[in-house]
Amino acid sequence: MKVELYEATDQNPNLKNYDEAVKNFDWNEVEKNFSWYETGKYNMAYEAIDKHVENGLADKVALHYKNGETHSSYTFDELKKASNKAANVLKDEAGVVKGDRVFIFMARSPELYFSLLGALKVGAIVGPLFEAFMEKAVRDRLENSDAKVIITTPELLPRIPMDDLPNLEKVVVVGDGVEGDYLDFDKSFENASDEFDIEWLDKEDGMILHYTSGSTGQPKGVLHVQQAMVQHYISGKYVLDLKEDDVYWCTADPGWVTGTSYGIFAPWLNGATNVVVGGRFSPEAWYGAIQNLNITIWYSAPTAFRMLMGAGDEIVKDYDLSSLRHVLSVGEPLNPEVVKWGMKVFNLRIHDTWWMTETGAHMIVNFPSMDIKGGSMGKPLPGTEAAIIDDEGNELPPNRMGNLALKKGWPAMMRKIWKNDAKYDSYFIGDWYVSGDSAYMDEEGYFWFQGRVDDVIMTAGERVGPFEIESKLVEHPAVQEAGVIGKPDPVRGEIVKAFIAIREGFDQTDELKEEIRVFVKEGLAAHAAPREIEFKDKLPKTRSGKIMRRVLKAWELDLPAGDLSSMDDE
Ligand code: WT7
């Protein structure tokens, strides 16, 4: 296949020469940018917000929040004060102390950012939850982490389980109109002092807990620590290319790691103006945001770009997008087709970035100063090492496909899987962290994504575990057995497809399919609900009774099913 090459045109990027940077890179030099380098006292919220107030950026806009006609802006000074107020509320009225797990379950709003920063100032470990989660998903996460406090809004309150969670001491509600034994955030916030003594932490203290899916078992809690900020900062500088006058927009929700590492930490550690757009996706709202806020740097995902592509090139002409200078993508393979489209409509290269919840920050990316090979994820962040290894941990030569692996020890690497040390250990072969992706590296050191090694599904940039969906499906009275796979889809990358064997006494009807789909949507999460359901009399299983998703996938794609020796003859 012919590879399109897109040459670097940016005359003055923060990282000017990749090879030089790799040669001279020293994490210790990066650490000198933080006040804890002198004081030894760590707190992400201080480095991201308060420090800038002391260093001349007090009146610079830190946050633009836009949702339909609503637009509000907050300076670094205002954000410092608002997060101090939130910290006082959490400490004094919800009893939060260092190390407590505080969950934040709400749609994007300024209060989400105030309370997340406030929780960090108190020294809590923050657990952000995507607003689409339903009761079971919320319960699993609160239970696993022994969460003490959850902050939410009246709309989402009914999804918070009130029983059997002995550690959950306080439910904090943002927005009025609810009666009951809740802490009224707005009222307390209003009366709280805007001064707060930050809780100082150590570099290995917990900071943020993101739950993510694997191919087996319940979602796992990936813990990141304060030290991660070193990599958030430098990747914000080198990869996002953040500079003083930039207006930066990351489209991801803080319920996912992109929405915290690059929707909160990286931009603010670099003192940038950060844009948050609430509400639903529409080409008009998105192009409108870029135009009206003069956004210069835009970080989004292939699914979003493909939806914009689908909306046509004409609509782009209705907007003045000339403020844009740098565009990036993450979450799924960025098709060469999409990069080509980006050149056509924005006259800009879309820079692919590869990383994972577990890595905490960028690992393999396309830098502004680097030529882009359409379809490649780029090269490793200076200071990190990536390789393709076989299942024994041996490095493979260029152009050989294998496990994409990273050398242990980068600052933003997860430090544990909450309450599951065995799972954590299973990620490593010797000194290598094994990603679960397969890839190859070409002679020039560019990495090329090939697929997942396991059964994890990436749909519209969101990672869903088949096991979690299968478990929900079999709770439905009509479902005997279920197997879930990702089916390739032109817009979403993959969609969730479920194969279902139903119980006797039920009919294989379209109504039943719809009922089952809604059951998952309302019981687990909208993005996890199967978009396609197929009834089967029986599902392929191993002799030990494990559903063989590999065979389901082969059926779906009309491929040979491979080795069937472990399949149950029945
Ligand atoms: C998985 C991690 C942290 C970013 C959001 C997703 C896939 C991520 C790319 C890319 C191809 C990608 C991988 C990875 N992925 N970026 N640029 N090209 N695939 O984080 O939910 O932890 O998922 O997303 O399969 O393992 P996540």
Side-chain angles (χ1 to χ4, degrees):
M1 203 181 78
K2 191 178 167 304
V3 173
E4 303 273 354
L5 194 74
Y6 301 92
E7 282 174 28
T9 51
D10 190 332
Q11 300 304 311
N12 193 30
N14 287 333
L15 179 126
K16 301 212 167 38
N17 182 319
Y18 176 76
D19 295 329
E20 284 294 309
V22 170
K23 229 185 301 160
N24 302 326
F25 195 85
D26 180 357
W27 285 110
N28 188 54
E29 286 301 312
V30 183
E31 297 191 353
K32 290 183 181 161
N33 291 290
F34 295 90
S35 50
W36 46 253
Y37 191 79
E38 301 288 330
T39 63
K41 301 195 280 191
Y42 290 72
N43 194 298
M44 168 64 97
Y46 176 77
E47 303 290 335
I49 306 294
D50 297 27
K51 189 174 79 179
H52 301 310
V53 174
E54 291 159 24
N55 294 343
L57 295 183
D59 298 326
K60 176 175 177 172
V61 173
L63 173 66
H64 282 296
Y65 174 75
K66 199 173 182 317
N67 188 344
E69 296 302 304
T70 308
H71 176 195
S72 45
S73 303
Y74 305 87
T75 63
F76 277 102
D77 190 47
E78 287 167 332
L79 215 45
K80 172 182 171 180
K81 290 183 174 137
S83 52
N84 281 348
K85 279 169 164 277
N88 279 313
V89 173
L90 291 171
K91 185 175 179 179
D92 297 343
E93 297 188 50
V96 176
V97 297
K98 177 183 159 182
D100 283 343
R101 272 75 65 211
V102 171
F103 277 68
I104 300 183
F105 181 40
M106 60 171 108
R108 274 170 278 186
S109 69
E111 286 77 12
L112 189 164
Y113 295 82
F114 303 162
S115 51
L116 194 147
L117 292 166
L120 291 174
K121 285 185 169 178
V122 187
I125 297 173
V126 176
L129 291 181
F130 186 47
E131 61 184 289
F133 285 138
M134 303 306 284
E135 175 169 348
K136 166 122 179 23
V138 176
R139 175 189 292 278
D140 287 346
R141 288 157 176 80
L142 294 177
E143 202 163 56
N144 177 261
S145 64
D146 296 326
K148 184 175 192 174
V149 169
I150 183 165
I151 308 169
T152 191
T153 54
E155 302 77 48
L156 301 182
L157 191 58
R159 300 189 207 157
I160 296 176
M162 298 294 170
D163 56 317
D164 301 334
L165 290 172
N167 294 293
L168 187 65
E169 289 177 16
K170 266 283 186 297
V171 178
V172 183
V173 180
V174 178
D176 32 50
V178 288
E179 302 275 300
D181 188 15
Y182 310 115
L183 177 59
D184 180 336
F185 180 87
D186 297 0
K187 203 157 101 208
S188 300
F189 185 85
E190 171 119 17
N191 298 324
S193 159
D194 63 10
E195 285 172 27
F196 184 77
D197 280 333
I198 288 184
E199 179 77 32
W200 297 112
L201 305 167
D202 292 323
K203 65 176 170 188
E204 290 298 317
D205 280 337
M207 178 171 73
I208 195 148
L209 187 63
H210 277 289
Y211 279 80
T212 190
S213 307
S215 56
T216 55
Q218 291 297 330
K220 37 193 190 204
V222 173
L223 181 73
H224 291 289
V225 299
Q226 293 285 327
Q227 174 78 356
M229 72 175 97
V230 180
Q231 197 171 344
H232 294 147
Y233 169 77
I234 200 65
S235 55
K237 200 174 200 65
Y238 284 176
V239 184
L240 304 177
D241 200 38
L242 291 163
K243 292 178 194 154
E244 186 136 337
D245 295 331
D246 279 310
V247 180
Y248 164 83
W249 179 31
C250 168
T251 61
D253 187 278
W256 313 109
V257 72
T258 309
T260 55
S261 293
Y262 295 101
I264 297 177
F265 304 143
W268 282 335
L269 287 169
N270 280 280
T273 296
N274 196 18
V275 173
V276 172
V277 177
R280 289 183 74 87
F281 167 87
S282 79
E284 291 79 8
W286 279 35
Y287 290 139
I290 295 172
Q291 168 181 280
N292 298 332
L293 296 171
N294 289 306
I295 288 166
T296 58
I297 307 178
W298 180 29
Y299 195 10
S300 196
T303 294
F305 293 126
R306 288 189 296 258
M307 293 199 310
L308 292 171
M309 242 172 110
D313 298 352
E314 276 309 302
I315 174 168
V316 184
K317 302 195 181 110
D318 296 340
Y319 297 87
D320 177 2
L321 306 180
S322 57
S323 58
L324 268 187
R325 71 168 182 88
H326 186 36
V327 185
L328 306 99
S329 171
V330 66
E332 341 146 46
L334 180 65
N335 330 65
E337 197 50 35
V338 178
V339 182
K340 205 184 267 178
W341 169 80
M343 289 302 297
K344 186 170 73 177
V345 294
F346 307 128
N347 193 27
L348 291 169
R349 312 185 305 168
I350 302 180
H351 297 70
D352 194 11
T353 62
W354 179 92
W355 57 294
M356 312 175 65
T357 306
E358 292 88 336
T359 72
H362 291 150
M363 299 307 297
I364 297 177
V365 303
N366 288 282
F367 294 89
S369 58
M370 181 190 277
D371 291 347
I372 289 178
K373 296 184 182 184
S376 163
M377 307 190 290
K379 297 186 181 186
L381 192 75
T384 74
E385 198 184 323
I388 305 298
I389 62 170
D390 66 16
D391 292 344
E392 277 71 52
N394 305 305
E395 275 185 64
L396 298 175
N399 295 322
R400 286 270 305 279
M401 195 168 133
N403 300 298
L404 175 54
L406 306 159
K407 188 62 82 55
K408 241 185 203 173
W410 65 93
M413 184 174 101
M414 65 168 170
R415 296 300 200 272
K416 65 160 94 177
I417 298 289
W418 201 262
K419 285 193 197 155
N420 196 342
D421 292 343
K423 189 88 204 176
Y424 181 82
D425 293 341
S426 73
Y427 278 92
F428 299 94
I429 302 180
D431 277 348
W432 293 107
Y433 162 89
V434 185
S435 66
D437 287 356
S438 62
Y440 68 88
M441 186 186 77
D442 67 20
E443 289 92 353
E444 293 179 293
Y446 283 81
F447 284 79
W448 299 77
F449 179 83
Q450 299 295 292
R452 287 289 307 182
V453 174
D454 56 24
D455 297 329
V456 167
I457 301 165
M458 296 295 306
T459 177
E462 276 151 22
R463 175 165 158 190
V464 294
F467 177 79
E468 207 182 352
I469 305 173
E470 288 161 359
S471 307
K472 189 74 216 170
L473 282 167
V474 295
E475 284 177 25
H476 188 280
V479 177
Q480 171 93 41
E481 294 181 319
V484 168
I485 61 163
K487 173 182 173 174
D489 179 81
V491 174
R492 292 168 187 272
E494 288 183 316
I495 56 163
V496 176
K497 168 154 189 181
F499 291 87
I500 292 175
I502 57 174
R503 289 182 191 282
E504 233 163 285
F506 290 90
D507 292 326
Q508 303 190 356
T509 61
D510 285 346
E511 289 73 42
L512 181 58
K513 282 186 186 171
E514 182 56 18
E515 187 187 309
I516 292 172
R517 205 182 58 74
V518 171
F519 179 76
V520 177
K521 183 174 165 196
E522 292 182 350
L524 194 59
H527 62 278
R531 287 190 170 249
E532 216 173 289
I533 292 178
E534 187 173 329
F535 292 128
K536 289 277 177 196
D537 292 334
K538 251 203 229 138
L539 298 182
K541 285 194 291 190
T542 61
R543 271 179 269 264
S544 59
K546 203 165 167 258
I547 306 263
M548 296 178 83
R549 301 192 191 107
R550 173 167 63 83
V551 177
L552 294 174
K553 199 135 188 175
W555 284 353
E556 182 62 45
L557 302 177
D558 234 350
L559 293 170
D563 178 16
L564 296 181
S565 56
S566 63
M567 189 147 106
D568 189 340
D569 304 333
E570 294 247 344

